[in-house]
Amino acid sequence: MSKIITVIYGSSTGNTEHAAQAIAGKLGGRAVNIRNASAADFQADLLILGTSTWGCGELQDDWMNGVALLEAADLSGKLVALFGLGDAVGFGDTYLNGMGELAEKAVARGAKIVGRWPSEGYMHSLSTAEEGGFFAGLALDDDNEPGETADRIDRWCEQLRREAAL
Ligand SMILES: Cc1cc2nc3c(=O)[nH]c(=O)nc-3n(C[C@H](O)[C@H](O)[C@H](O)COP(=O)(O)O)c2cc1C
């Protein structure tokens, strides 16, 4: 039986939404806006959570309301991958902090994180999504490096295929 792959995302100006749709398309999954998500959407063989970061290192607005669903989900032993959109130059000391927050909450619910992504070569100075030379998930920056996005998504999806045995 084919695996259930669900991409749940929050997006204010469309950047994270585009990435979510591209990722879902490549992996044969479904993209769900957190605004329309239900508890059942968090039960998947591979759950992929995406957010942009707003304010000064805060979750995207719709995730602020929807995060309660993540906090209530039983993710024990479940595979979870993350991706984040941010601005590593304009917000270099809070780059992708929203993704960091989702990662922390997913781990607290028992998730096994796949799809960590090397942080070498990014222009930021600080990020709560970064640890030991890796981001908790795919790091995208459509503000400064829009030309990198498609290739990064391709490579990350290949990485997920291997790590999640899709
Ligand atoms: C007012 C404002 C605040 C922002 N704050 C951050 C931030 O703290 N950290 C970050 O990495 N990006 C920050 N960004 C950049 C956005 O996350 C980025 O533009 C992203 O691509 C938006 O994606 P979306 O259209 O999916 O919401 C900010 C952008 C604006 C306009």
Side-chain angles (χ1 to χ4, degrees), residues 93-115:
D93 56 357
T94 53
Y95 181 53
L96 303 184
N97 279 16
M99 176 165 77
E101 197 172 329
L102 292 187
E104 190 184 315
K105 290 184 189 300
V107 168
R109 300 305 300 152
K112 178 174 186 280
I113 304 295
V114 291

Side-chain angles (χ1 to χ4, degrees), residues 38-123:
S38 66
D41 292 318
F42 283 76
Q43 297 306 318
D45 296 307
L46 174 61
L47 179 65
I48 303 178
L49 306 176
T51 187
S52 47
T53 296
W54 286 87
C56 211
E58 285 156 27
L59 273 179
Q60 189 272 340
D61 271 357
D62 300 308
W63 262 118
M64 292 241 194
N65 299 322
V67 81
L69 290 171
L70 173 59
E71 288 168 340
D74 179 5
L75 301 176
S76 310
K78 299 271 181 156
L79 299 184
V80 172
L82 300 121
F83 67 99
L85 274 282
D87 173 352
V89 175
F91 298 89
D93 56 357
T94 53
Y95 181 53
L96 303 184
N97 279 16
M99 176 165 77
E101 197 172 329
L102 292 187
E104 190 184 315
K105 290 184 189 300
V107 168
R109 300 305 300 152
K112 178 174 186 280
I113 304 295
V114 291
R116 292 184 200 277
W117 188 252
S119 56
E120 196 184 342
Y122 283 81
M123 292 179 277

Side-chain angles (χ1 to χ4, degrees), residues 22-46:
I23 291 164
K26 284 190 186 301
L27 295 176
R30 202 165 54 98
V32 180
N33 192 313
I34 183 63
R35 267 193 312 226
N36 308 319
S38 66
D41 292 318
F42 283 76
Q43 297 306 318
D45 296 307
L46 174 61

Side-chain angles (χ1 to χ4, degrees), residues 126-165:
L126 274 177
S127 172
T128 59
E130 185 183 22
E131 197 183 333
F134 286 83
F135 288 114
L138 177 65
L140 300 173
D141 184 345
D142 279 4
D143 293 271
N144 305 291
E145 301 179 316
E148 300 283 341
T149 294
D151 181 57
R152 283 172 173 162
I153 287 174
D154 279 353
R155 287 188 286 129
W156 190 61
C157 288
E158 282 312 307
Q159 180 182 332
L160 287 183
R161 279 185 205 287
R162 291 192 302 275
E163 290 184 24

